Each structure stands twice: as C-alpha cells, then as structure tokens.
C-alpha cells in the first residue's frame, strides 16, 4: 500500500537535476534528527513489512496502551493499558489471543503514540496486523511510516560508521526499492519481508542517530528512470562487475539495471572467495538433498557448472551432471536452494573433491544494482551520493516525493 490512511498516491515534485540534496542540514542540531523524522512520519506513505510469515504462532507484547481491532472495524475488540507477552495463534482459521478466542481471522494492533509493539521479542514502530490463513498459519505485518522504516533499514543493511555519501546512497536506494515493491505488490497481503529477500529490517534496536540524520538529509529523495520508479536492487559485493537484472531476475532490464564495471569493492572481504584460506565446501549429499524440492532427482552429482556467464561473470543458469544425465536450473534458484550465505554468489566455479564440491567465486549477493561495498569505496575516494548512484544506475535521475496531502 502506498499512501496514508488508505490513499494510494505517489506524487513527484520533479527531478532534482542540480538542486542541493542536503539543504536542511545546516539548521538542524544533532539531537533533533530522530524527533524531526518521527514528527514528519504522520504524513509519510505507509509500508507493510511481513515480520513473521506463515508461522504456527507469534508472541506480542507492549510497554504501553494499545487498541486491538478486528480487521478494519472502528470499535476495538480490546483496549489494553499495556501488554505482557501473549501468544497469538489460530484455531479453525480464527485468532486466539492468549486464552481468548477473537472470532476473527485478522486483527490490527494500534499502539498509543510513542509505544512500540514487540513481535517475538523485537520492538517495532507503527501498527501491526496479524492474519490467520485458512490452514491456521500466522502472518504478522508491520504497518510503518516510510521514513521510520528506513531508519530501521539503514543500520541493518550497512554499518552507520560508513562515510555519509555511502549512507545517503543506501537511504535513497532503500527508499526507492521499498516504494517500487509497494506499488508492485499493492494487492498482496504485504509489500516486503524483513530479511535479505527484500531489505533487512530489524526495527528499533537498529535505529541510531546517524540513521535518523541520513534519513532527514535525504527525506523523500528517490531514483527514477524516465518518470518512473524502478526496483533499485542492491547487494553487498559485486566482485568487479554488477550483473544484469534481465539475466538474474528474468526482467526486461532498463539501462540503469544492465550491469556496470565496479572497481571500488576490491577491498571487501568477499570480493573473491574463499577468503582467509577457508574453503567453501558443500557435500554432494547436502547439494542433492537441497535440489530435491526443486524437482531434481539425481542420485549422484559429478559436475556443477555455471552457464551464460559473460560479460559480468554471474551465471544465469547452472548445469548439474551425473553421467549422461543433465539438469539445468536457474542460477538464482540454485543459490537460494543451497543457501545464499553458503554459496555467496552465482559468479562461481565448482570442483569436485571426493564427495564434496569446493566452490570459489566473486562477490556476495545477486549482483544486481548498487554494490554496497563499492559505494563505500567510492565514498572513501571522495565521490558524493549523486556520483555513486549515477555510477551504479546509469541513466537514472533523482526525484523527490511530494509531501502527502493532509487528511
Ligand atoms: Zn563492486
């Protein structure tokens, strides 16, 4: 959902061709940033972030007053002064709140101003919806103002000790990515997840003054291509060249997402791997077990090979061989099946040693869009956020979201 109070509006004030991005900085004292961002949040677009997906239950608590509504009802079901931990689960498709059957499949938790709701022990700003699906699984969605959501993303995605230009570039791409997902998923239950599949968002604990300052300085600034928002993918380390969105995601790649050379992440830990003499070894048995759910029923595996790799080095597909049997799968799905923190990127080679495969490669992540460590390297070399974004998204321009209309 984009918009406030149910409105799905997204208005641009026009491109920021050469106007300074950071005009507000000089007149704001250091401690004001959090208050300014939070005060402005009332008119921000809302995002829906799934914190828990299809789980058996969720634990909820709050340190102050809150109201619990059945779906979009106007009269609350529960009016609580505070909430000790309660476990919410489903019985026959209806929610059970502790020991109380609520006779509804969806509730909306609205905390009082300044109160945060804890979901499985972590605090979040904004409202929370809990849904029970017909099978009884629980999904928990945080409805949070765009800019306060970003304050929770910045510190989760990169260290806030990084140079300001890299943090500002990160804020702009995270804001743009969030809005592009919200638009694309406007009819779905939620816009994004809170993990690396979307953007890492761990809520209050990962907010800090630097994140609020960066959000304040870049407030409402996004990237557009033509006059359209696009999914500003980004990843940790590209390993020397970013990948084409067309190859990795099967999307029609606009010029900003076609991939570009990057010499700025060379100092990153996983620019090339293995690192520190620690080989990336995955057993044949583990690989075969993880390929099973993809419908691949090889009994043994002789060879794993990346295919369609030029010019950026990232494979589009992977071939899997045993004797005369060959399966080919999407490289992205293969990496996800093995585990994105185990096989760091689709830019790899694999050698069989005994009953193991030993992987070597470049980069960490899907490879598309801004290289976070490259942005860090550019910022340290003296480039500003505009130059960083121009480098990783060639042809894109900065624009500013309008303030939301009142009401
Ligand atoms: Zn890079």
């Amino acid at each position: 959902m984009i918009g406030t109070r149910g409105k799905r509006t997204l208005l641009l004030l026009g491109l920021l061709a050469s106007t300074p991005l950071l005009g507000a900085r000089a007149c704001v004292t250091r401690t004001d940033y959090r208050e300014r961002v939070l005060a402005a949040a009332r008119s921000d677009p809302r995002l829906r972030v799934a914190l828990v997906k299809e789980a058996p239950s969720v634990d909820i608590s709050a340190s102050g007053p809150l109201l619990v509504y059945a779906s979009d009802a106007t009269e609350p079901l529960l009016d609580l002064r505070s909430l000790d931990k309660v476990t919410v689960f489903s019985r026959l498709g209806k929610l059970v709140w502790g020991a109380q059957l609520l006779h509804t499949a969806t509730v909306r938790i609205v905390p009082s101003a300044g109160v945060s709701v804890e979901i499985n022990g972590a605090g979040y700003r904004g409202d929370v919806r809990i849904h029970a699906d017909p099978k009884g699984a629980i999904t928990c969605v945080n409805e949070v103002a765009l800019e306060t959501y970003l304050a929770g993303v910045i510190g989760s995605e990169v260290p806030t000790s990084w140079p300001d230009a890299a943090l500002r570039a990160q804020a702009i791409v995270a804001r743009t990515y969030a809005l592009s997902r919200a638009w694309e998923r406007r009819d779905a239950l939620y816009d994004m997840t809170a993990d690396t599949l979307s953007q890492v968002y761990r809520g209050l604990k990962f907010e800090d003054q630097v994140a609020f300052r960066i959000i304040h300085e870049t407030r409402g600034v996004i990237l557009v291509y033509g006059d359209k928002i696009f999914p500003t993918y980004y990843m940790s380390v590209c390993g020397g060249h970013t990948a084409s969105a067309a190859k990795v995601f099967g999307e029609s790649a606009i010029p900003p997402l076609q991939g570009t050379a990057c010499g700025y992440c060379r100092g990153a830990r996983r620019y090339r791997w293995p690192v520190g003499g620690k080989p990336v070894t995955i057993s044949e048995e583990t690989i075969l077990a993880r390929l099973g759910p993809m419908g691949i029923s090889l009994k043994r595996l002789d060879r794993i090979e990346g295919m369609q790799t030029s010019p950026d080095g990232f494979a589009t597909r992977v071939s899997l061989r045993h004797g005369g049997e060959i399966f080919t799968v999407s490289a992205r799905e293969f990496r996800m099946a093995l585990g994105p923190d185990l096989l760091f990127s689709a830019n790899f080679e694999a050698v069989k040693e005994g009953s193991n495969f030993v992987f070597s490669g470049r980069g960490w992540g899907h490879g598309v869009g801004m290289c976070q460590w490259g942005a860090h390297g550019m910022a340290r070399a003296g480039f500003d956020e505009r130059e960083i974004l121009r480098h990783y998204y060639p042809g894109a321009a900065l624009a500013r979201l309008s303030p939301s209309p009142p009401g």
Side-chain angles (χ1 to χ4, degrees):
M1 177 172 70
I2 296 177
T4 55
R5 301 186 191 180
K7 288 196 179 91
R8 292 187 175 183
T9 53
L10 181 62
L11 306 173
L12 303 182
L13 281 184
L15 304 185
L16 300 176
S18 58
T19 49
L21 213 63
L22 311 173
R25 182 164 52 165
C27 59
V28 180
T29 63
R30 187 172 174 77
T31 53
D32 284 342
Y33 296 118
R34 181 189 303 260
E35 304 319 316
R36 290 205 171 210
V37 170
L38 295 179
R42 281 189 291 276
S43 60
D44 278 349
R46 302 264 152 185
L47 293 173
R48 303 168 306 161
V49 187
L51 304 173
V52 173
K53 280 194 305 178
E54 297 174 11
S57 65
V58 61
D59 291 339
I60 309 286
S61 60
S63 56
L66 54 86
L67 299 170
V68 181
Y69 297 85
S71 193
D72 287 316
T74 50
E75 289 299 314
L77 283 174
L78 304 171
D79 182 347
L80 306 170
R81 285 173 171 234
S82 67
L83 179 63
D84 291 333
K85 188 178 88 174
V86 66
T87 299
V88 180
F89 58 99
S90 160
R91 185 179 296 152
L92 301 175
K94 305 291 184 195
L95 291 170
V96 181
W97 181 278
Q100 187 178 353
L101 180 63
L102 294 184
H103 301 287
T104 176
T106 302
V107 292
R108 179 168 48 102
I109 302 171
V110 181
S112 297
V115 174
S116 61
V117 179
E118 293 207 347
I119 310 294
N120 290 340
Y124 293 89
R125 297 182 190 278
D127 299 351
V128 172
R129 276 183 197 264
I130 305 177
H131 305 266
D133 72 19
K135 291 178 185 164
I138 300 290
T139 295
C140 190
V141 178
N142 186 202
E143 297 186 353
V144 58
L146 171 64
E147 303 292 335
T148 48
Y149 161 76
L150 292 171
V153 168
I154 302 298
S156 304
E157 281 286 347
V158 294
T160 52
S161 56
W162 277 17
D164 281 3
L167 296 178
R168 288 190 205 113
Q170 175 67 55
I172 293 166
V173 297
R175 181 180 295 111
T176 311
Y177 182 80
L179 291 171
S180 76
R181 295 297 293 166
W183 181 249
E184 192 181 309
R185 291 179 56 84
R186 57 195 178 278
D187 297 324
L189 190 60
Y190 52 85
D191 304 323
M192 280 177 299
T193 58
D195 53 22
T196 53
L197 291 178
S198 296
Q199 304 190 110
V200 182
Y201 166 60
R202 300 188 192 121
L204 282 168
K205 256 195 211 164
F206 284 77
E207 294 176 355
D208 69 13
Q209 279 297 336
V210 174
F212 277 108
R213 175 172 61 78
I214 295 297
I215 296 306
H216 177 76
E217 289 172 355
T218 64
R219 181 175 171 75
V221 179
I222 57 170
L223 273 177
V224 293
Y225 179 67
D227 59 354
K228 289 194 172 67
I229 282 185
F230 63 97
T232 44
Y233 298 108
Y234 58 90
M235 39 71 211
S236 179
V237 190
C238 75
H241 201 293
T242 68
S244 148
K247 284 178 58 180
V248 174
F249 300 120
E251 299 177 358
S252 59
I254 55 174
L257 295 175
Q258 283 179 359
T260 189
C262 168
Y264 297 99
C265 58
R266 207 165 276 135
R269 186 170 159 74
R270 292 194 172 83
Y271 178 75
R272 281 174 189 260
W273 41 270
V275 285
K278 194 176 164 203
V280 178
T281 302
I282 311 176
S283 73
E284 179 183 358
E285 189 183 354
T286 299
I287 296 169
L288 288 172
R290 295 189 183 181
L291 291 174
M294 296 174 74
I296 295 172
S297 55
L298 285 169
K299 288 196 171 59
R300 298 289 308 275
L301 196 50
D302 302 325
R303 192 169 168 162
I304 301 171
E305 200 172 6
M307 302 163 66
Q308 302 164 21
T309 53
S310 63
D312 52 46
F314 288 83
T316 305
R317 297 190 68 76
V318 172
S319 85
L320 307 156
R321 292 170 190 252
H322 170 54
E325 277 188 289
I326 303 175
F327 280 90
T328 70
V329 294
S330 133
R332 185 158 182 265
E333 287 174 20
F334 177 71
R335 181 171 166 250
M336 289 299 160
L338 260 58
D341 295 339
L342 201 54
L343 181 58
F344 299 118
S345 81
N347 186 347
F348 70 85
E349 289 183 357
V351 176
K352 192 166 187 192
E353 292 183 2
S355 59
N356 292 320
F357 283 88
V358 180
F359 292 85
S360 58
R362 284 167 171 258
W364 192 3
H366 50 60
V368 180
M370 187 179 78
C371 170
Q372 288 170 313
W373 276 99
H376 173 264
M378 285 188 76
R380 288 194 61 174
F383 293 100
D384 67 16
E385 60 276 9
R386 220 178 265 280
E387 292 164 316
I388 293 170
L389 295 170
R390 196 180 297 144
H391 177 74
Y392 288 109
Y393 305 98
L398 292 171
R400 194 187 296 276
L401 293 167
S402 74
S404 298

